[in-house]
Amino acid sequence: MDLQLKDKVALVTGASVGIGEGTAKVLAEEGCKVAITARRDDLLNGVADEIEAAGHERPLVIKQDIMADDAGANIKSAIDDAYGRLDILVNNAGAAVPAPVGTEEQVWIDVMNLNWWAVRRVSDLFIPDMIERKYGRIINITGTMEPFGINAATCAKAAVQAWSKGLSREHSKDGVTSNCIIPGRIRSEQNKRGFPTVEDELAFAAQHIPAGEFGDPDDIGNLVAFVASPKARMISGSVMYVDGGMKRFSH
Ligand SMILES: NC(=O)c1ccc[n+]([C@@H]2O[C@H](COP(=O)([O-])OP(=O)(O)OC[C@H]3O[C@@H](n4cnc5c(N)ncnc54)[C@H](OP(=O)(O)O)[C@@H]3O)[C@@H](O)[C@H]2O)c1
C-alpha cells in the first residue's frame, strides 16, 4: 500500500532515542520531510546522519527543552523557516515517573508539564494552520491506563487522551485527526534502565505480555505512519494499543 506520505512534513518530539527515533526513521523511509526535536542535539544529529545514510532526506534537527515556555514558538519558527508548514505532529517526548503519596509538588508539576501541558501548547500552535489547509495529523504517544501504582505520567497521559478525543470531535471535519497510541513495553532508553538485560525483559514478558517479548520502536513507528497517512482519514479520536496483548480488558 502506498501511504501517500511523500513530502508530507512531520515533527517528532523526543526523537533523540527510543520510540521517537524509531518513528522518525519510519516516517523518513515513507518519504516524509522530518523534523526531530529533543534536548541532546548530539544524539539528534546521529539520528539525522543515519536517516541520511539510508538514502532519505536529512531531518531538520531542533535542539529544544520542550518544557521551556518558548519551546513551541522556537520549534514552530524552525519548521516554518525550513518547510513553511506542518502536516503531522507526533507528540512523543515524555517520561514515566512513579509518584507515591508524599511526592514533592514540583515533581508533579514537571511531569504534567512534560507529558501534558507541552503536548497541548505545542499542538495549539500548529493546529490552526492544519485546519486552514484541511490536513493535519496529531498523534500522541500516551501510555497504559492500567497503572501498577501511582505514576504521575499516567495522570498526564489521561489528560492527553481526553484532550485528543475533544480535539477529534471539533476538528475531524476540517481534515485534522487526533489519535493516541499506547505502547506496552517497547525497547527504549527509559526501559533499558528498568530492564537492563534480555533476561529481565523476558521475565517481565512471561508474566505480562502475551506476545512473549518487548516491542521495538518501529513497531510504534509503523502504526504512526499509517495513522499519519491520508488513507487513515476516518481514524480519529481513537486510542490504539501496540502492546503484544498486554492490556487486559476487551474494550
Ligand atoms: N517504551 C515504552 O515501553 C513506553 C511505554 C508507555 C509509554 N511510553 C511513552 O512513549 C514515549 C517515548 O518513550 P521512550 O520509552 O521512547 O522514552 P525514552 O527512551 O526515555 O525517550 C524519551 C525522549 O523524550 C525526550 N525528552 C524527555 N524530556 C524532554 C524534554 N524536557 N524536552 C525535550 N525532549 C525531552 C528525550 O530526549 P532528550 O533526553 O534528548 O531531551 C527522548 O528523546 C514517552 O511519552 C513515554 O511515556 C513508552
Side-chain angles (χ1 to χ4, degrees):
M1 184 192 303
D2 174 9
L3 292 179
Q4 302 169 353
L5 287 172
K6 176 123 186 56
D7 292 335
K8 292 266 187 251
V9 179
L11 166 65
V12 183
T13 71
S16 55
V17 291
I19 290 173
E21 173 184 358
T23 296
K25 287 177 174 168
V26 172
L27 291 174
E29 273 165 32
E30 291 298 321
C32 289
K33 298 174 183 297
V34 181
I36 53 177
T37 187
R39 293 165 299 185
R40 289 172 290 176
D41 59 341
D42 52 335
L43 296 181
L44 289 172
N45 279 311
V47 174
D49 289 345
E50 284 182 45
I51 288 175
E52 196 175 22
H56 313 302
E57 184 168 328
R58 186 177 180 81
L60 173 69
V61 167
I62 307 170
K63 177 184 176 162
Q64 179 66 54
D65 182 342
I66 206 147
M67 290 165 69
D69 288 344
D70 58 358
N74 293 339
I75 291 170
K76 183 159 190 310
S77 132
I79 288 177
D80 284 350
D81 288 351
Y83 305 119
R85 69 175 202 283
L86 186 71
D87 301 305
I88 299 156
L89 170 54
V90 185
N91 289 312
N92 167 75
V97 180
V101 171
T103 295
E104 276 180 32
E105 196 62 14
Q106 193 58 47
V107 172
W108 277 96
I109 291 168
D110 290 345
V111 173
M112 293 305 279
N113 191 3
L114 174 62
N115 290 278
W116 156 229
W117 294 327
V119 169
R120 186 198 50 75
R121 275 200 306 260
V122 172
S123 302
D124 272 8
L125 291 177
F126 288 104
I127 291 168
D129 285 351
M130 291 175 170
I131 292 169
E132 182 132 323
R133 289 184 300 96
K134 297 279 183 222
Y135 194 89
R137 296 286 184 266
I138 307 294
I139 303 170
N140 308 296
I141 309 303
T142 56
T144 180
M145 291 296 122
E146 297 168 15
F148 285 88
I150 306 173
N151 194 299
T154 309
C155 305
K157 285 170 183 303
V160 173
Q161 290 184 186
W163 165 79
S164 172
K165 186 72 186 175
L167 181 61
S168 77
R169 300 285 303 180
E170 295 205 16
H171 292 297
S172 297
K173 68 178 183 312
D174 301 313
V176 179
T177 66
S178 181
N179 292 287
C180 296
I181 295 176
I182 296 186
R185 283 289 188 281
I186 301 294
R187 295 182 185 97
S188 69
E189 189 177 74
Q190 71 170 339
N191 265 333
K192 193 82 190 159
R193 288 194 289 272
F195 304 93
T197 67
V198 176
E199 289 68 35
D200 295 325
E201 285 184 9
L202 289 174
F204 179 91
Q207 264 194 296
H208 300 290
I209 308 177
E213 59 174 329
F214 279 30
D216 288 318
D218 61 358
D219 289 314
I220 303 288
N222 291 336
L223 180 57
V224 168
F226 183 72
V227 173
S229 163
K231 303 247 182 202
R233 69 191 175 88
M234 291 301 285
I235 300 175
S236 194
S238 291
V239 175
M240 296 166 233
Y241 297 80
V242 180
D243 68 354
M246 192 172 160
K247 178 175 184 280
R248 298 194 68 90
F249 297 93
S250 60
H251 61 277

